[in-house]
Amino acid sequence: MAPIVLDEVDDSLRAGIQNLYELIVQSHDHHGPATQNAQANSIRSLARNLAQLSNLAAEYSNAANPSSKSPIPAIPPEIIQYVEEGRNPDIYTREFVEIVQKHNQLLKGRAEAMARFRDILARQVKGAMPELEGSVRTIVEKTGGKLD
């Protein structure tokens, strides 16, 4: 599949905008059946341009994500809601990043606490049952720790 060239998209968008402009002018300066025919032609041309844009979007989507079955990229509903409410989607992104950072800090703290617990438990088991020192050392080393 050939890569999408931005010029194709640009041309298709410009043609669609031109069709809309022609429709506005024709609606404003209506002269009977001749104008109606011109409007019908402009509407058909607009439909062709929109279909071409849709095809380009589908090609781009399939090229960007071949495993996706949907021709339209998935947009989280929260972002759509932000835009509908007149809010900046960058705010959503910033808030999402802050939440992820907090969650990562929490998980890092838990992992560090578990590592300290592992080391304390290993020292206690080694002290209480010296015959298990080899097994304890192996377990600690395989879980990313180091036994003194």
Side-chain angles (χ1 to χ4, degrees), residues 2 8 21 39 43 59 65 72 77 94 107 115 118 121 125 133 139 142 144:
E8 292 179 63
Y21 178 74
Q39 283 179 328
I43 290 172
E59 287 177 26
N65 188 6
I72 299 172
R94 185 178 61 237
L107 291 178
R118 175 203 58 216
L121 182 62
V125 169
E133 181 178 349
I139 292 170
K142 286 187 177 184

Side-chain angles (χ1 to χ4, degrees), residues 10 13 24 28 33 40 55 58 70 72 76 95 97 103 115 127 132 141:
D10 186 50
L13 280 172
I24 291 170
H28 178 70
N55 291 338
S70 172
I72 299 172
E95 290 173 354
V97 168
H103 186 68
L132 295 178
E141 288 173 356

